[in-house]
Amino acid sequence: MAQIAYLLLCHKDVEAIVAQAERLTAMGDTVSIHFDARSPRADYDHMVASLAGNPNVVFAARRKKCGWGEWSLVDATLEALKAAVHAFPRATHFYLTSGDCMPIKTAEYARQYLDRWDADFIESFDFFESDWIKTGFKEERLIYRHWFNERSQPKRFYTSFNLQKRLHVTRRVPADIRVMIGSQWWCLRRQTVEAILDFCAARKDVLRFFRTTWIPDETFFQTLVRHLVPGDEIETRTLTFLMFSDYGMPVTFYNDHYDLLLAQDFLFARKISTEAHELKRRLGALYSETGRSFSVSNEGERLYTFLTGRGRIGERFAPRFWEKDATIGRERSLMIVTCKKWHVAKRLLDRVGSVSNVPRVEYLFDEEATPLPDLGGIQATLAKRTRHRRALMRMLFDYYETDRLMICLDPSNLDLFRDFYADRSETRLLEIECQYSDTYLEGHAKRVGLASDQTPAEGFRTLLPTIRNDVAHESEMLRDQNFPEFYRMLERARPEDNAEPLSKFLRIDRQKALDIARTDYLFVD
């Protein structure tokens, strides 16, 4: 009978990962864990200690710092794979999964299912001829070299790409390789996995090629399996049930999806909401059952599309994200920097990037041109962003795969501050109070349309007291809300004084906060 070695890629929620590993190994299967090196060492040590007595759990020998779209995700998978192959010689199948996945069948059913098929389960479609890629880069993923992360280093990513494109610096795919593409999530037989590891040891040229392709977790294993395994031994599909919304984001499953998930012809499902505690409990108990039969209708995508398309309001398939009660997420932290001088807030975000990997987005509700990822159109205009504010924020959290996000807001957006503070997420606010010269206020009046280059000096003298009072009033209104976790930096204060609120806002030690507060150009106009 099949014995499964699960490769578990994770970066958060340690207790849930421990519970998942214990659940899977309790039924005789094995688990190899790769825990992102970007995550706290203390969390990793706690996980190792919690699972130390379980002989069916092994950890990847090297932890990789993972980033979406990078080779690091493939590298992490290879590390988990090597550890599993070495530690579990009796494993017949290797199933790649993540901390957001849960089984939707019993262990008994999964083994019987794999025993019926002498095949590898992996999506493997021709990269150039298929329509698997709907939008964005296609051949550009391969023929150009990608050294930077598009999400965390967008300026470097696109500068490098545009420079190569302008200079016609391209490369060829290795001559004997037919590039394939498909879902990251797969289940492979032992002989296939061993052939892949042998290939990696022998073909360094292929590894060098994929190291600088874009989103290689969708092409590397998909290509190698097709290269090494006869076509009639490949089932071109994944055993992990996942869907995408009409905005191109992964559908998240909630407590009331239990019956829907069990009816699908898959062994696991992704993504399970961190808040779906009841669903996790029921699916966890399900995995250990014996003698359970399943009525597979496989109507998941059709039923989901039908109900969301009708705009059904309620909880059966989770609220549509554009409903007014959409939530950012209880376990997430939204950090808002507000300052009337936008360049000051932007400089602060840039400096924060030197001490933290927290994703940062500038004045997304104030500047149409703020760089944003493609979220299916919801980010296209300021009106859409504001109308679907919480949905947009949730999608950004999902896009960056983070529990912490920092944004800038103009102090005039009082309704946005109130709305975000009303959410179940943790919200922290840092106000930067600046000093405003008459020259700066004249420029501000022009930027907001209160004046133009043709406005006479007398007109400016009339406007200035009103503008100055308006700026002060916005700050007073914010303070009158009595928001919790509200911190203030002052231009007139010493860096040593500003370090204290900055340290509390960012949750960093005081010395790092002081280094930021001492930035000599922070308040320069």
Side-chain angles (χ1 to χ4, degrees):
M1 179 172 282
Q3 184 178 43
I4 307 171
Y6 290 101
L7 313 176
L8 191 54
L9 303 184
C10 49
H11 65 281
K12 61 179 181 179
D13 205 356
V14 172
E15 296 302 336
I17 298 302
V18 171
Q20 179 81 310
E22 295 284 14
R23 182 184 307 119
L24 295 174
T25 56
M27 300 308 297
D29 294 313
T30 56
V31 175
S32 177
I33 299 175
H34 178 276
F35 192 67
D36 195 335
R38 294 186 188 277
S39 300
R41 177 74 194 197
D43 287 354
Y44 176 73
D45 291 341
H46 174 67
M47 184 187 304
V48 172
S50 299
L51 295 168
N54 191 328
N56 288 332
V57 176
V58 68
F59 290 85
R62 293 184 298 171
R63 294 171 63 200
K64 304 293 182 178
K65 292 183 178 181
C66 297
W68 185 90
E70 294 180 7
W71 169 257
S72 54
L73 287 175
V74 176
D75 213 6
T77 304
L78 287 171
E79 288 296 322
L81 198 55
K82 292 173 187 175
V85 168
H86 176 74
F88 310 124
R90 298 178 61 189
T92 60
H93 293 77
F94 296 80
Y95 194 122
L96 181 62
T97 184
S98 79
D100 293 324
C101 299
M102 288 287 291
I104 56 175
K105 298 292 188 293
T106 63
E108 179 183 69
Y109 181 98
R111 293 192 188 108
Q112 292 172 353
Y113 192 97
L114 294 176
D115 282 339
R116 291 198 300 270
W117 300 82
D118 185 19
D120 298 302
F121 290 86
I122 183 169
E123 286 190 353
S124 182
F125 303 100
D126 187 277
F127 185 91
F128 294 100
E129 296 178 5
S130 72
D131 63 348
W132 200 86
I133 299 175
K134 302 297 184 184
T135 61
F137 287 177
K138 190 166 184 175
E139 69 171 353
E140 292 90 346
R141 293 190 185 191
L142 308 179
I143 65 173
Y144 298 109
R145 294 170 176 83
H146 302 279
W147 293 286
F148 305 104
N149 188 290
E150 188 263 350
R151 290 185 175 182
S152 61
Q153 300 172 295
K155 292 181 180 178
R156 291 181 177 179
F157 179 91
Y158 286 106
T159 298
S160 170
F161 167 72
N162 290 326
L163 183 61
Q164 292 178 75
K165 188 175 181 180
R166 187 162 59 249
L167 297 177
H168 304 289
V169 180
T170 60
R171 59 178 176 174
R172 295 182 182 276
V173 175
D176 61 331
I177 294 295
R178 178 189 175 196
V179 179
M180 311 299 287
I181 193 167
S183 168
Q184 173 188 3
W185 311 107
W186 41 254
C187 178
L188 304 178
R189 297 167 298 171
R190 186 177 196 92
Q191 61 265 35
T192 301
V193 163
E194 291 175 343
I196 288 173
L197 294 179
D198 289 342
F199 182 91
C200 290
R203 293 293 303 272
K204 300 300 183 183
D205 60 317
V206 175
L207 266 66
R208 282 195 300 271
F209 172 77
F210 278 103
R211 281 181 188 278
T212 51
T213 60
W214 182 229
I215 321 182
D217 54 297
E218 295 178 348
T219 55
F220 181 76
F221 291 100
Q222 297 77 0
T223 298
L224 265 57
V225 169
R226 185 67 65 174
H227 184 74
L228 297 168
V229 177
D232 59 0
E233 296 181 22
I234 300 174
E235 285 294 312
T236 310
R237 63 189 182 94
T238 176
L239 293 178
T240 298
F241 179 56
L242 66 164
M243 297 189 300
F244 291 89
S245 71
D246 54 352
Y247 275 78
M249 299 301 293
V251 169
T252 300
F253 299 110
Y254 295 88
N255 289 334
D256 52 358
H257 285 106
Y258 180 79
D259 293 328
L260 173 77
L261 293 176
L262 265 59
Q264 308 314 308
D265 188 19
F266 297 86
L267 304 184
F268 273 69
R270 187 178 193 275
K271 297 173 139 184
I272 307 299
S273 170
T274 56
E275 300 173 27
H277 303 297
E278 178 64 14
L279 177 60
K280 289 184 177 182
R281 184 194 66 77
R282 296 179 72 184
L283 292 177
L286 170 74
Y287 190 70
S288 61
E289 290 186 24
T290 57
R292 176 73 177 262
S293 60
F294 296 88
S295 178
V296 175
S297 61
N298 222 31
E299 87 303 342
E301 292 198 39
R302 178 186 58 80
L303 185 57
Y304 181 89
T305 300
F306 171 72
L307 289 174
T308 55
R310 291 179 62 188
R312 186 175 188 271
I313 299 174
E315 294 299 322
R316 175 164 168 74
F317 292 95
R320 293 181 72 178
F321 72 77
W322 48 82
E323 296 301 334
K324 64 181 180 181
D325 59 346
T327 178
I328 295 171
R330 190 185 304 278
E331 298 178 1
R332 288 169 165 172
S333 296
L334 176 63
M335 295 178 283
I336 305 173
V337 176
T338 185
C339 183
K340 203 66 183 179
K341 290 186 176 180
W342 292 2
H343 63 279
V344 174
K346 291 178 181 180
R347 288 171 185 165
L348 181 71
L349 259 66
D350 185 61
R351 286 288 288 118
V352 168
S354 65
V355 299
S356 169
N357 61 357
V358 176
R360 303 166 303 282
V361 184
E362 295 175 355
Y363 285 86
L364 71 168
F365 294 103
D366 302 288
E367 282 188 302
E368 194 95 61
T370 297
L372 289 171
D374 185 354
L375 301 175
I378 191 175
Q379 82 294 341
T381 66
L382 286 177
K384 282 187 176 182
R385 297 175 202 171
T386 304
R387 186 164 62 249
H388 306 312
R389 59 194 68 168
R390 291 198 202 178
L392 174 64
M393 298 310 302
R394 186 173 191 116
M395 293 170 80
L396 285 170
F397 274 98
D398 289 341
Y399 179 85
Y400 288 111
E401 295 184 340
T402 184
D403 291 326
R404 296 186 301 159
L405 182 67
M406 187 181 301
I407 67 170
C408 295
L409 281 182
D410 188 89
S412 63
N413 294 311
L414 192 59
D415 58 330
L416 291 178
F417 291 107
R418 288 170 176 163
D419 197 31
F420 290 140
Y421 263 100
D423 193 83
R424 287 178 288 179
S425 63
E426 177 196 38
T427 302
R428 303 200 295 270
L429 176 59
L430 175 69
E431 181 188 14
I432 306 176
E433 183 182 289
C434 297
Q435 296 175 305
Y436 303 97
S437 66
D438 288 353
T439 301
Y440 177 85
L441 291 178
E442 285 182 11
H444 175 71
K446 293 178 181 178
R447 286 190 292 274
V448 301
L450 292 175
S452 68
D453 291 335
Q454 285 72 46
T455 302
E458 183 62 33
F460 274 123
R461 283 194 293 273
T462 303
L463 283 173
L464 285 178
T466 301
I467 298 172
R468 193 178 296 279
N469 289 336
D470 186 59
V471 170
H473 179 67
E474 288 175 354
S475 179
E476 289 294 334
M477 288 289 289
L478 269 181
R479 278 179 274 175
D480 288 345
Q481 303 304 306
N482 294 316
F483 290 134
E485 299 272 16
F486 182 10
Y487 306 98
R488 300 181 74 227
M489 287 178 61
L490 309 178
E491 180 178 357
R492 64 178 181 272
R494 300 180 308 145
E496 290 76 11
D497 297 327
N498 281 331
E500 185 67 22
L502 189 58
S503 171
K504 293 178 179 178
F505 173 72
L506 294 173
R507 301 285 199 270
I508 60 176
D509 64 60
R510 192 177 186 283
Q511 184 56 52
K512 289 182 178 179
L514 183 57
D515 290 342
I516 297 174
R518 283 175 171 165
T519 303
D520 56 4
Y521 58 84
L522 186 62
F523 293 101
V524 175
D525 288 335

